[in-house]
Structure formats: structure tokens, C-alpha cells
Amino acid sequence: MENSNPSTSRKRQRPGPEPGPEPGPESDLNEAQLQSVEENFNFSDTLVALRMMRAQFPRIEKVSIPPFILRSQLYSSVKDRTQVDRELESLRREGVLCTFKLNTGQDDHAIMFLDDYFSQIERISKRLEAQKLEGLCVFEWFKEHVIHSKLDPSIGHDELRSLLSLGGKVKEEHISLLINAGLLTRQLIDPNMYWFAIPNIGSVLKGLSQGRKELMSFLNRRKYKEMAMAALEKKRLRLSPLDMRFHLRDLLGSGHLKTVEAPTGLLVKVVKD
Amino acid sequence: MWKEIGDREFGKLRTNLFSNRIKSARISSIQLSNYKDFISPHRGSINSLQVDLTEGRYLLSSASDTSVAVYDVQRATDYDESGLIAKHKHILLVDKQHEQGHKYAISTAIWYPIDTGLFITGSYDHYVNVWDTNTTQVVINFKMPGKVYKTAMSPVATSHMLIAAGTEDVQVRLCDISSGAFAHTLSGHRDGVMSVEWSASSEWVLVTGGCDGAIRFWDIRRAGCFRVLDQSHSQLGSRPTILTRSTANKSSMLKTSSGGLNSSTKGRPSQKKMGNGVSLKHAAIARQVRGYGKQRLHPGMLSSQDRATAHYGAVNGLKVTNDGMYLLSAGSDSRLRLWDIESGCNTLVNFETSRLQSTKALQLAISHDSKLVFVPCMSTTKAFDLWSGKTMMDLRGHYENVNCCLYNSLDQELYTGGNDRKILVWSPSKTTADELEGRDGQAFAIDQDNWSD
């Protein structure tokens, strides 16, 4: 009813047209904020868990690794595993994250946010530019063509060549440059397939498998093969640069350890088959 | 329970619904049976179990000590002293003293699907034998190029009697009982074939799982396989939505165009699979990829170049659901995957398995309403809900690894056989009311209907 209280309606309408004559950057900021609220409006359990674990990723000196999350860690934090798998698949299809298959034993997968991966590729190509190597355009082609259309953790040789050639003429040196940078590896299963990899991850993987073994042997040596989680968290692992929380989540999710509720809190127990 | 019977009488409850409810209630209460037992004569680990498809009465078991035994599931041979436990001894035993018996471990024994007059055994001594049950003589035998891991006959076949045999050789052979010769061989796997199953809906479709991790679907009337399951093709849900199907095809088009899904129409598949908005450049690349320096192959054999894997290790066990729409596969990477057969996609249901044995084949079982899956996991048998993947039951009873499990839908019982040479029976618990109803002090295990003039 516009005629009944014209003054209040005018007052209410005032905030509306005000952002118009305001200077450019502020309105851009408002728009950017609005967009991010719209995009981040709905959270799924998996996305929240991923973000939280990414923030808790330990800092490792000497190696610049972007934070990654193991799939078994997700299984230990979100209850319904089928839902985790399906949400991961839809996030991958949307292009928010990418998965890599690690070669530390059975079916280990690492998940990384796509922005972190791209910034890592940028860092590598800048470092190699400083060494004045040839054929650095292959990193651009890799980013643009291969990653945007890939959904699997592996890719065949022919497919890789054909996708890279969308950017320009591809030579064998280009592919070996990618392998030297650590972005592609080969695994023993199939000589023709390249697997995507996280660069500089070698020492961390060694620490991962050794840390797992150390934690399992520590708990196995105890009398009742269990320990309170509060006490366990305070311990530091000698052989692994990753912290105890990382390893605990990973082993709980892969089924080697389980938690039991006790009157004093949570107990971590070794699973006996 | 009485109210439900009354409702069924008045027509308020449909008979199918009534029987399904009772069956589901019985199966969710199974435990190690305290009134039924099989006395197993085997001296080696039990590798396979099968109940015949016509009557559901005779159980066939095969073991690593080259013996095969048949038991009657419904009639006990004798009872123990107090009459509380029904003991089922074997009514037929073939072991290495038999002059036509196998020399090494028998990995698989199956009944002829039409009647119980014949049964087929496959063994590590490279032979597949067809036995006549009544005379216990070998009727035909087939020599294979390697150890036989699994044999299968189609339960719905009306026009052929082919035995599909998976061996450590890369080719799957089809043996014909009526002619005594090999019908054809199916090549495409790159390592031994550990599990073979016929489709429950079509008598021409065979599913094989190999040690290379691939699961292939074959139509035996054509050359080559028509589908290879790829674990990265997934759908979110029990059936694919129309939109997701086109995006999955967009990403997988580069691979499947060289796979040659429809071998009869060579040029058309690559165009059919294009979803909306795919540029022509991708089509050019697809054609380039296909003709990239390989010699011309028969269009049906293009599938041998498709290297998609369904598991990261060997495929140990396959089971098709009763309606023929979904396939469950167990791999040595300790994962169980559920596949939609029609679309060929992984439904991404996560079963909480921590370890599965990797050297031997596993036999999985599915309940009659396809809601529960029984999987042998090391020394226990776990029951998972098919669609959510949660562990419903954990059945511990064997002393060593469990190899095979079989679900008897007539009595809602589960039979499991393992490396400890025993066959255990898991049955719904009998309530105390049944116990008290034994008349004249006679124990309740004795079957009152077992009489004849």
C-alpha cells in the first residue's frame, strides 16, 4: 500500500538505489561477496570434512606440498561411505577437486582441491623457467586441456598426446618434462598408462607408510592392544613428518583400527580379524 | 504374526507381501544352527557349494582333496541321541580312489541346471569332467590348457548346453555337452579368468572376471565382448539419470569409441555417443585415436584393446542379482563393487570390507529379495545391505578362511564352507514355542512328515 505511509516506504527503499552511484570496487566487492554466498550456500558433509582437513594439514619444512586428504580419512569422519563416494564423484565432475592414486599399497587415493593443484603447477613451471629449460608451454597445455577433460586418475599414452596436441605440436621431450616435474608417473601394472601424481610427494609417501607401520606396531606391542585417544594424540611419530591426527584418521578409515566408547573417553583399538 | 495371517485370509495383505515379510524376518535372525549339521567327509578345504536349481534339495560340495560330495538338505540321514540335532551325511562321495577321479584339487562343482542327473566338476588337473550322478561315472571330459578356476552353465538356457570354463589361460572356453567338443573360445582378457557367471536374464550373455582386473560381458553369438566395465564410469544412484548419462559419455567417449561397443554398425557408435555440446574436434581426435598405427582388426575384436579395469587387482567373485539388473564383483583389492548392468556404470555403493582373500576365488550369495549380500571376508562371513553398504551381520564360526557361501531361499538358510574342511549351517533361530510343541516327548528336529507306506 504505497499511499498509506509514503515516508516509511521511501525510507525502506533508500538502501536500494544507494549502491548504484557508489564507486566501482565497492560494488564489485559486494557482488563478489554475494556470489560466494550463493556458491557456498549449501554444504555437503564431504565438502565440510574436506575443507576442515585441508586446514588441519601439517606444515612440512623443506618440501612445498599443497594439502591433500586421503580417502580413508574421509571415511572415518563421515558416517555413510556410499554418500562420501557419491559426493566425491559429483565434486570431481564439477571440477572442484581431483583424485590421485598413490602407490603405497592397496587402493590409496589422495584428494586435492583443484586450486591448490593449479597453484602447485604454477610454482613448478616458474621454478623451471628460472633454469631456462625449453618446452615450458607444455605446462600450460597440460593445465588447459588435459586436466579439464580428465576424470580418471590415469591416462593412456595416445590420449595424452592427442589432448596435449590441442595446444600445439607435441614432442617426446614435452612428456618427459612432465614426468621429471613429477606430474605424471608410471606404475608397474600397465606400461602404457600414465598416472597423475602430486609433485614432490616422494618423501611424504615414505613418511606415510612408515608412520602407519610405526603406529600399528606401537599399539600392537601394548598389553591389550589399545590406548586412550587423548593420550595417543599427544605422542609424536618419529619416522613420519605428518602428524598423529593424520595417521589416526587414515587408519581408522581403512579399518585397521577402531574406536570404542569407554567411560573415560574414546579408546583406540587394533582390529583383530 | 497371527494378525498378519488373519489379514492375509481376509485379503487385506497380499500373499507375496506376507511371505516376503516372513522370509525377511527369518533371514535377519540367522545364527549358527543348533538343529542341523552337515558331516563333511572332505579332508581338504571346501572350494565350492551349490544346491540344485530344480528342487533345491541336493547340495554339491567340492574340496581341495579331490573329493566331491552330495548331501540331502531336507532329509537328515540320522539324528543324534537326544534327537535334537539332525545330521546330514553325504549320500554320494567321489574321491581320488575313483579311477576316473581328478588328480588335483577340484575348484568348482556345479549341477546340470535342468535336472540332477549330471554334475560338472572342474579341477586344477586341467580337466572338466561331466559325471552321471546315478552311476557315478564320467560321461565326457574336456581338457583345458590350464588349471580350471570356475565353470558355469546358464540357468535359463533352452537352446544350448554350453559349459563356460575360466582357466589360468587368457581365453574362456565354451564346451558343448551334446557334441563333446569345444564350441568357441572368447578372447579379450589379458590374464587368467577367475570367475565366470551367466546372466540371469539372457541365455546368450556371459560375464567373466579376470586376474587382470577387467570384467567383460560377452554375447556368445558374436565375436568379442560387447562391454568392459570401467570403475571410473560411475552413476550416482540405482539408475542413471538422463543428464548424467550424457556427461559420463562425453568424458568416456574417447575411450569407448575405440572399444567398439556395437560391432555391427562400425561408423555410427562414435556419433551416437556424443552428448550435447561436444565439439567436432573431439570427434576428430576419436577417429585419430582409433586409427593410430594399429593394424586393422575385426570390429568385434576392437574390444581387446580396451584396457579398462573394474578392480585394481584380480576379480575374485561375481554374482548377478536375481532380477538380472545388477552385478556384484569382489576383487583382490578388497573392494566390493555394485554395477548396473544396463548402463555399465559403477553405482559407487561402498561396502565396508577391510580384507578379502586374494588368491582363491570367492563365492558370493544374495538373498532372495536381493537386499542382503553374503560375502566371505577372511574367517567370517559378513552380510551387507545391498544399497547402503552397511554391515548387517557378522557371522563368525569357521576356524580358518571362508571360501564359499550359499543361500538356500527355500528354508532361508546360509551354508558356508571354508579352509577348515567344514560346512556350517546358519539358520533362523527356532523359537521356544516350537521347542515346547514336540509331542510325546519326541524332539522337535525329527520331521513328522517323513513317512511313507
Side-chain angles (χ1 to χ4, degrees):
Chain A
M1 303 283 275
E2 305 95 12
N3 294 331
S4 49
N5 8 12
S7 55
T8 46
S9 66
R10 235 183 291 130
K11 269 194 206 152
R12 275 198 208 116
Q13 276 171 20
R14 246 203 287 144
E18 259 204 295
E22 273 181 19
E26 270 199 26
S27 68
D28 279 350
L29 191 61
N30 279 348
E31 214 183 298
Q33 276 177 355
L34 263 180
Q35 230 181 26
S36 64
V37 168
E38 192 182 316
E39 271 175 8
N40 301 332
F41 198 63
N42 275 326
F43 292 108
S44 59
D45 279 346
T46 320
L47 194 57
V48 172
L50 280 169
R51 289 214 174 133
M52 211 181 66
M53 286 196 257
R54 178 181 178 271
Q56 290 175 350
F57 192 77
R59 284 188 60 88
I60 311 172
E61 327 84 37
K62 292 185 232 161
V63 186
S64 79
I65 290 219
F68 64 90
I69 299 118
L70 293 175
R71 228 173 165 168
S72 43
Q73 292 178 325
L74 272 182
Y75 289 152
S76 67
S77 21
V78 183
K79 270 212 190 116
D80 188 358
R81 291 181 179 205
T82 309
Q83 193 197 0
V84 169
D85 278 348
R86 288 183 175 163
E87 281 172 9
L88 274 180
E89 179 65 26
S90 48
L91 283 171
R92 244 180 23 169
R93 285 191 191 164
E94 284 168 26
V96 174
L97 20 105
C98 45
T99 53
F100 304 95
K101 182 170 183 306
L102 302 175
N103 58 357
T104 52
Q106 284 185 353
D107 209 12
D108 270 337
H109 288 263
I111 304 162
M112 198 189 271
F113 281 94
L114 212 54
D115 310 322
D116 293 334
Y117 190 52
F118 282 162
S119 50
Q120 184 74 354
I121 297 184
E122 287 289 333
R123 239 177 287 157
I124 292 179
S125 69
K126 278 201 189 63
R127 185 170 47 97
L128 287 181
E129 240 176 70
Q131 297 176 7
K132 291 211 173 46
L133 285 172
E134 276 190 8
L136 288 174
C137 41
V138 71
F139 290 107
E140 281 303 316
W141 302 343
F142 188 71
K143 237 175 40 176
E144 232 184 273
H145 302 290
V146 180
I147 301 208
H148 276 293
S149 57
K150 84 128 180 175
L151 278 185
D152 312 331
S154 66
I155 191 170
H157 180 77
D158 301 327
E159 220 181 311
L160 180 66
R161 276 191 80 106
S162 47
L163 282 174
L164 282 177
S165 55
L166 284 177
K169 187 130 173 51
V170 170
K171 289 186 282 211
E172 287 300 323
E173 295 91 46
H174 292 138
I175 301 191
S176 29
L177 201 61
L178 283 174
I179 297 184
N180 285 340
L183 289 169
L184 288 179
T185 46
R186 277 208 176 119
Q187 288 192 1
L188 291 171
I189 308 172
D190 197 339
N192 249 351
M193 297 283 271
Y194 294 108
W195 296 76
F196 293 102
I198 306 175
N200 297 337
I201 202 177
S203 54
V204 180
L205 282 187
K206 181 171 174 220
L208 180 68
S209 50
Q210 282 190 333
R212 277 179 184 163
K213 271 197 276 202
E214 191 189 334
L215 183 54
M216 289 300 292
S217 69
F218 172 71
L219 280 174
N220 269 323
R221 270 182 281 135
R222 291 180 67 85
K223 187 174 181 193
Y224 292 110
K225 303 202 188 338
E226 65 185 13
M227 191 165 176
M229 195 184 252
L232 197 55
E233 269 181 349
K234 296 200 181 79
K235 287 192 64 73
R236 279 209 52 158
L237 287 171
R238 238 175 0 117
L239 302 165
S240 164
L242 302 159
D243 62 348
M244 175 62 84
R245 195 170 38 183
F246 191 93
H247 285 290
L248 262 182
R249 282 213 177 110
D250 166 47
L251 286 172
L252 280 170
S254 59
H256 291 100
L257 295 177
K258 67 177 182 204
T259 51
V260 177
E261 278 280 350
T264 50
L266 275 180
L267 283 176
V268 176
K269 249 185 126 131
V270 174
V271 166
K272 185 175 53 118
D273 192 78
Chain B
M1 164 89 162
W2 295 112
K3 182 174 185 312
E4 285 179 353
I5 294 183
D7 283 345
R8 177 180 172 275
E9 218 177 297
F10 292 130
K12 283 191 221 166
L13 196 58
R14 276 206 297 251
T15 46
N16 271 347
L17 195 60
F18 176 70
S19 65
N20 275 338
R21 271 193 209 173
I22 298 210
K23 284 185 187 174
S24 309
R26 275 170 65 90
I27 199 182
S28 44
S29 69
I30 57 172
Q31 55 183 31
L32 199 53
S33 175
N34 51 0
Y35 56 88
K36 192 163 178 175
D37 194 21
F38 285 109
I39 313 234
S40 137
H42 299 294
R43 301 239 181 87
S45 51
I46 298 186
N47 289 332
S48 81
L49 290 173
Q50 201 200 26
V51 161
D52 70 302
L53 299 162
T54 40
E55 273 184 293
R57 187 166 166 185
Y58 296 104
L59 175 68
L60 179 68
S61 70
S62 69
S64 291
D65 68 336
T66 77
S67 60
V68 173
V70 175
Y71 314 82
D72 184 333
V73 165
Q74 289 164 8
R75 294 269 147 84
T77 51
D78 48 31
Y79 296 90
D80 73 334
E81 317 82 48
S82 52
L84 284 171
I85 303 184
K87 292 202 182 291
H88 297 251
K89 273 186 68 177
H90 63 274
I91 52 183
L92 177 69
L93 177 65
V94 174
D95 57 7
K96 52 173 128 157
Q97 267 104 35
H98 195 283
E99 68 255 355
Q100 292 162 327
H102 287 286
K103 298 196 177 36
Y104 294 129
I106 301 185
S107 54
T108 164
I110 54 175
W111 286 108
Y112 182 54
I114 312 291
D115 59 41
T116 53
L118 290 177
F119 62 90
I120 294 122
T121 58
S123 148
Y124 279 6
D125 66 356
H126 307 262
Y127 276 96
V128 170
N129 285 354
V130 180
W131 300 77
D132 177 329
T133 322
N134 293 315
T135 60
T136 328
Q137 297 293 319
V138 174
V139 178
I140 310 177
N141 60 2
F142 300 96
K143 181 148 181 22
M144 298 286 157
K147 294 192 233 181
V148 180
Y149 286 135
K150 190 93 169 41
T151 53
M153 283 194 77
S154 173
V156 294
T158 51
S159 50
H160 67 80
M161 339 174 169
L162 297 172
I163 307 174
T167 63
E168 58 178 355
D169 185 45
V170 300
Q171 291 179 328
V172 178
R173 285 189 155 68
L174 293 175
C175 320
D176 190 7
I177 302 184
S178 52
S179 64
F182 293 111
H184 31 280
T185 57
L186 307 169
S187 26
H189 276 287
R190 281 175 294 136
D191 201 354
V193 176
M194 226 182 203
S195 48
V196 174
E197 281 281 323
W198 288 88
S199 156
S201 48
S202 163
E203 56 173 334
W204 307 108
V205 175
L206 181 67
V207 188
T208 58
C211 296
D212 54 351
I215 297 181
R216 285 169 184 260
F217 281 74
W218 313 83
D219 183 330
I220 60 175
R221 299 170 289 187
R222 297 199 293 222
C225 71
F226 65 89
R227 188 178 288 129
V228 181
L229 292 181
D230 187 345
Q231 56 184 316
S232 47
H233 295 174
S234 42
Q235 66 189 34
L236 312 166
S238 54
R239 291 311 334 274
T241 62
I242 303 175
L243 287 177
T244 49
R245 196 194 301 231
S246 63
T247 50
N249 281 338
K250 212 199 299 186
S251 59
S252 65
M253 188 196 53
L254 284 170
K255 276 199 198 155
T256 53
S257 59
S258 61
L261 286 180
N262 283 334
S263 54
S264 52
T265 58
K266 280 179 262 180
R268 269 195 276 142
S270 53
Q271 287 154 16
K272 246 198 229 170
K273 290 282 172 207
M274 276 187 225
N276 306 326
V278 175
S279 63
L280 281 172
K281 228 186 205 178
H282 276 225
I285 292 170
R287 277 193 281 274
Q288 228 181 12
V289 167
R290 209 196 311 168
Y292 201 93
K294 302 272 190 312
Q295 73 273 31
R296 277 180 56 86
L297 285 179
H298 187 276
M301 297 309 290
L302 282 174
S303 62
S304 59
Q305 292 172 23
D306 189 346
R307 292 163 156 210
T309 56
H311 279 273
Y312 285 123
V315 178
N316 278 349
L318 285 178
K319 184 86 180 132
V320 183
T321 56
N322 299 329
D323 49 8
M325 282 181 54
Y326 299 99
L327 174 70
L328 196 67
S329 68
S332 63
D333 58 351
S334 303
R335 294 266 176 274
L336 271 174
R337 294 196 208 274
L338 185 66
W339 307 86
D340 180 339
I341 292 184
E342 181 60 41
S343 61
C345 292
N346 182 357
T347 55
L348 289 179
V349 180
N350 191 313
F351 295 93
E352 305 158 350
T353 47
S354 54
R355 268 186 82 190
L356 292 177
Q357 65 175 8
S358 49
T359 46
K360 265 190 176 170
L362 294 177
Q363 188 179 334
L364 313 171
I366 296 194
S367 67
H368 60 278
D369 53 359
S370 302
K371 289 234 179 64
L372 278 183
V373 176
F374 296 98
V375 181
C377 297
M378 305 312 284
S379 52
T380 71
T381 310
K382 290 201 177 147
F384 297 102
D385 180 74
L386 190 72
W387 283 110
S388 68
K390 296 208 172 74
T391 313
M392 296 309 220
M393 286 186 266
D394 191 359
L395 305 170
R396 277 173 200 274
H398 280 278
Y399 296 127
E400 288 179 39
N401 285 356
V402 182
N403 286 333
C404 43
C405 55
L406 179 73
Y407 177 69
N408 184 351
S409 52
L410 288 176
D411 296 326
Q412 292 88 52
E413 288 175 340
L414 183 73
Y415 308 124
T416 56
N419 283 349
D420 59 352
R421 318 179 206 154
K422 296 206 178 313
I423 301 179
L424 292 183
V425 180
W426 307 82
S427 49
S429 45
K430 279 206 172 160
T431 60
T432 44
D434 292 342
E435 272 182 55
L436 294 173
E437 272 180 36
R439 291 178 221 138
D440 307 331
Q442 254 187 349
F444 64 101
I446 298 184
D447 192 357
Q448 305 285 344
D449 296 327
N450 188 6
W451 60 268
S452 75
D453 285 329

